């Protein structure tokens, strides 16, 4: 199908045009009070975001990476510990782990949700570790180090299966930090608690990024960590501010990881729209689902009963991913790949000695995923354009495959 209007992957320009009248006064207020770091705007946003996440505390930070790092450190991860996560995520997850002084290690993902597979997590702890009798802590046999934390990632805005993860964490005394950097407002139905729970409210802490393209994005760099523990919140506040317990009294050596007042003020404005934007993303996802219902050769996102995803991304799987991207590109439809190279195959981690084949589900899906345009303002017309072009490509592919198979089928 020829399509003359470009369909962007994400449209941050129109979004900010719509919000300009609400945002400009925030800039003015910050200029006129010269309150640039900390202060009431940060505190207000922290209170509002904690409430949004059904968490007791929120600590505003400079980035999502800092959120993962400070949450792990504040919850008790020590240098040299092993922290389990997934290889199917953005590298910031493992950067946060490494920057906390720990060694990241991986378990494979669930083939349908693309989130941590709790069965693989259980196998990891039971097969690769022995449990120290005195402390009850699992020790990794080969890495010769204690395993002390789990970082499940709610990838694409879809919830990881938290009940079994929390159950294992309780049994083995492990810290859980949810990487909710793509999942602001996503919900999980906990059978154990018998209620819907927000991303970032289930683990010991939750890490959020407000990088501009996220469901809730700042006009620059920003992040936050949520927790229900007063102690973890207090430690994170110290870590973000040079280890100060009060001005110029440094109980520990910390970091410069604070949230700017300007970003906090902007985030407060945008937070008022977040529920509506998430609802629109869910509608866009629902419409994709309908429009794709008769499509062959395209695997759609799977949302289990226990998950209310917020569709940071809408990711489909096809056999010829490069071909599809090229086809859509020719129709001026932007796409992305999140992410093409699993973390265990990244050059940055070559020294850890992972090899292809270590995490087969992760590897399989990394070769087949394509992220289609997804943002709250995406119109039905634009979506129809995307879907028609994907279907056109997929049916040609199936035609090609059938043509190859034909001689075999006719000889049977
Ligand atoms: C964006 C993101 C982060 C980190 O965010 P920054 O704010 O860029 O540091 C961490 N984890 C995941 C899964 C992300 O998508």
């Amino acid at each position: 199908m020829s399509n003359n209007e470009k369909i962007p992957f994400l449209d941050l320009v129109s979004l900010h045009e719509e919000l300009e009248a609400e945002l400009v006064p925030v800039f003015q207020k910050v200029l006129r009070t010269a309150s640039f770091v900390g202060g009431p705007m940060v505190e207000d946003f922290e209170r509002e975001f904690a409430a949004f996440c059904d968490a007791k505390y929120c600590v505003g930070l400079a980035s999502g990476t800092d959120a993962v790092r400070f949450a792990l450190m504040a919850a008790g991860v020590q240098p040299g510990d092993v922290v389990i996560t997934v290889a199917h995520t953005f590298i910031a997850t493992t950067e946060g782990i490494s920057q906390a002084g720990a060694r990241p290690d991986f378990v494979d993902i669930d083939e349908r949700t693309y989130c941590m597979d709790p069965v693989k997590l259980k196998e990891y702890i039971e097969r690769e570790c022995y449990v120290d009798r005195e402390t009850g802590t699992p020790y990794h046999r080969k890495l010769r180090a204690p395993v002390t934390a789990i970082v499940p990632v709610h990838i694409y805005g879809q919830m990881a299966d938290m009940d079994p993860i929390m159950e294992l964490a309780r049994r083995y005394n492990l810290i859980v930090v949810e990487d909710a950097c793509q999942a602001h407002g996503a919900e999980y139905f906990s059978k154990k608690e018998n209620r819907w729970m927000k991303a970032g409210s289930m683990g010991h802490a939750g890490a959020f990024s407000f990088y501009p393209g996220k469901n809730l994005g700042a006009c620059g760099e920003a992040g936050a960590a949520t927790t229900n523990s007063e102690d973890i919140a207090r430690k994170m506040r110290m870590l973000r501010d040079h280890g100060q317990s009060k001005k110029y009294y440094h109980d520990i050596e910390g970091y410069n990881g604070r949230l700017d007042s300007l970003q906090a003020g902007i985030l407060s404005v945008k937070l008022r729209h977040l529920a509506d934007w998430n609802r629109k993303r869910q509608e866009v996802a629902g419409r994709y689902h309908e429009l794709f219902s008769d499509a062959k050769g395209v695997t759609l996102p799977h949302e289990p009963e226990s998950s209310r995803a917020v569709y940071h991304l809408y990711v489909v799987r096809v056999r010829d991913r490069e071909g599809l991207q090229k086809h859509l590109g020719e129709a001026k439809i932007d796409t992305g790949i999140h992410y093409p190279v699993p973390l265990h195959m990244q050059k940055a981690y070559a020294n850890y000695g992972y090899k292809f084949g270590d995490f087969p589900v992760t590897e399989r899906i990394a070769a087949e995923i394509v992220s289609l345009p997804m943002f709250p303002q995406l119109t039905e017309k634009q979506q129809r354009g995307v879907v028609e072009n994907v279907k056109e490509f997929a049916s040609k592919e199936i035609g090609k495959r059938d043509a190859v198979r034909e001689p075999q089928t006719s000889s049977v």
Side-chain angles (χ1 to χ4, degrees):
M1 193 187 92
S2 71
N3 180 57
N4 292 323
E5 248 172 80
K6 180 178 148 71
I7 305 178
F9 182 66
L10 170 75
D11 182 5
L12 287 178
V13 174
S14 339
L15 171 82
H16 289 93
E17 270 167 14
E18 277 172 36
L19 291 178
E20 198 174 303
E22 284 178 81
L23 293 178
V24 169
V26 178
F27 285 84
Q28 283 170 340
K29 191 172 167 190
V30 169
L31 281 178
R32 288 172 190 172
T33 57
S35 167
F36 298 114
V37 179
M41 277 169 130
V42 171
E43 284 160 26
D44 288 349
F45 172 68
E46 288 177 338
R47 198 170 348 93
E48 293 156 9
F49 194 66
F52 179 85
C53 296
D54 293 337
K56 274 199 191 141
Y57 308 94
C58 165
V59 178
L61 300 168
S63 69
T65 314
D66 274 354
V68 174
R69 166 174 32 179
F70 297 158
L72 287 169
M73 294 173 85
V77 166
Q78 298 292 321
D81 289 0
V82 174
V83 175
I84 312 170
T85 187
V86 289
H88 183 63
T89 179
F90 181 56
I91 194 167
T93 309
T94 45
E95 284 172 337
I97 294 169
S98 303
Q99 288 167 12
R103 154 77 203 260
D105 200 10
F106 306 112
V107 295
D108 214 345
I109 53 172
D110 180 294
E111 179 127 24
R112 297 211 299 173
T113 63
Y114 311 143
C115 294
M116 180 178 277
D117 184 340
V119 175
K120 302 277 168 52
L121 176 66
K122 186 166 187 277
E123 286 172 2
Y124 178 100
I125 298 169
E126 291 178 355
R127 292 188 192 160
E128 297 181 40
C129 306
Y130 67 90
V131 176
D132 182 80
R133 279 213 204 101
E134 258 171 53
T135 61
T137 302
Y139 271 74
H140 196 275
R141 285 199 187 88
K142 279 208 201 109
L143 300 176
R144 296 170 164 276
V147 176
T148 55
I150 311 167
V151 181
V153 182
H154 305 314
I155 199 89
Y156 310 152
Q158 166 97 273
M159 295 299 300
D161 193 2
M162 290 302 290
D163 273 350
I165 293 173
M166 292 308 295
E167 177 55 35
L168 284 164
R170 267 187 294 272
R171 191 181 316 159
Y172 292 102
N173 199 20
L174 303 172
I175 293 158
V176 177
V177 171
E178 297 169 62
D179 183 336
C181 288
Q182 301 189 0
H184 321 65
E187 287 176 285
Y188 174 79
F189 188 82
S190 167
K191 287 212 179 83
K192 180 159 188 292
E193 301 275 338
N194 195 31
R195 63 187 171 104
W196 286 94
M197 297 179 82
K198 287 273 182 77
S201 73
M202 288 167 275
H204 297 82
F208 291 88
S209 166
F210 305 122
Y211 187 76
K214 308 280 168 147
N215 288 30
L216 177 62
C219 296
E221 302 280 355
T226 49
T227 182
N228 290 317
S229 154
E230 193 182 348
D231 183 53
I232 293 174
R234 184 182 55 81
K235 285 181 179 150
M236 291 194 297
R237 285 199 187 100
M238 275 171 60
L239 285 166
R240 75 172 168 184
D241 196 17
H242 303 290
Q244 295 187 130
S245 52
K246 62 180 184 181
K247 203 168 173 74
Y248 303 135
Y249 287 79
H250 307 272
D251 293 7
I252 52 167
E253 193 179 84
Y255 301 83
N256 178 348
R258 296 167 302 227
L259 173 62
D260 285 354
S261 316
L262 175 61
Q263 300 305 343
I266 286 165
L267 288 165
S268 283
V269 169
K270 289 190 176 184
L271 182 58
R272 290 183 223 131
H273 299 271
L274 182 56
D276 179 48
W277 290 335
N278 280 345
R279 200 155 39 240
K280 286 189 176 134
R281 283 177 186 271
Q282 286 159 346
E283 280 166 22
V284 167
R287 216 181 295 138
Y288 266 139
H289 234 85
E290 258 170 53
L291 295 170
F292 274 127
S293 58
D294 60 345
K296 293 191 182 67
V298 185
T299 307
L300 304 179
H302 169 75
E303 207 178 325
E305 296 267 279
S306 60
S307 177
R308 281 186 194 142
V310 290
Y311 292 93
H312 173 57
L313 296 168
Y314 189 87
V315 177
V316 299
R317 275 174 78 179
V318 290
R319 279 168 49 121
D320 180 9
R321 183 256 304 284
E322 274 68 30
L324 175 62
Q325 276 203 300
K326 186 162 169 284
H327 182 82
L328 294 179
E330 281 159 7
K332 290 193 249 167
I333 297 168
D334 287 348
T335 54
I337 304 175
H338 302 86
Y339 298 89
V341 181
L343 292 184
H344 70 290
M345 291 281 97
Q346 293 284 357
K347 230 189 249 174
Y349 296 129
N351 58 325
Y352 288 150
Y354 294 109
K355 57 184 190 312
F356 192 83
D358 284 347
F359 307 103
V361 180
T362 295
E363 291 155 7
R364 196 153 59 235
I365 76 133
E368 296 185 350
I369 44 177
V370 185
S371 309
L372 300 180
M374 166 56 83
F375 50 93
Q377 297 78 10
L378 190 69
T379 65
E380 178 165 352
K381 181 162 169 278
Q382 288 175 315
Q383 283 195 270
R384 286 187 185 277
V386 174
V387 172
E388 271 173 50
N389 277 282
V390 174
K391 280 186 187 168
E392 189 181 83
F393 178 79
S395 64
K396 260 196 269 168
E397 276 302 291
I398 286 170
K400 265 196 257 167
R401 249 189 287 154
D402 288 348
V404 175
R405 270 198 214 126
E406 204 138 54
Q408 296 169 340
T409 33
S410 55
S411 68
V412 173

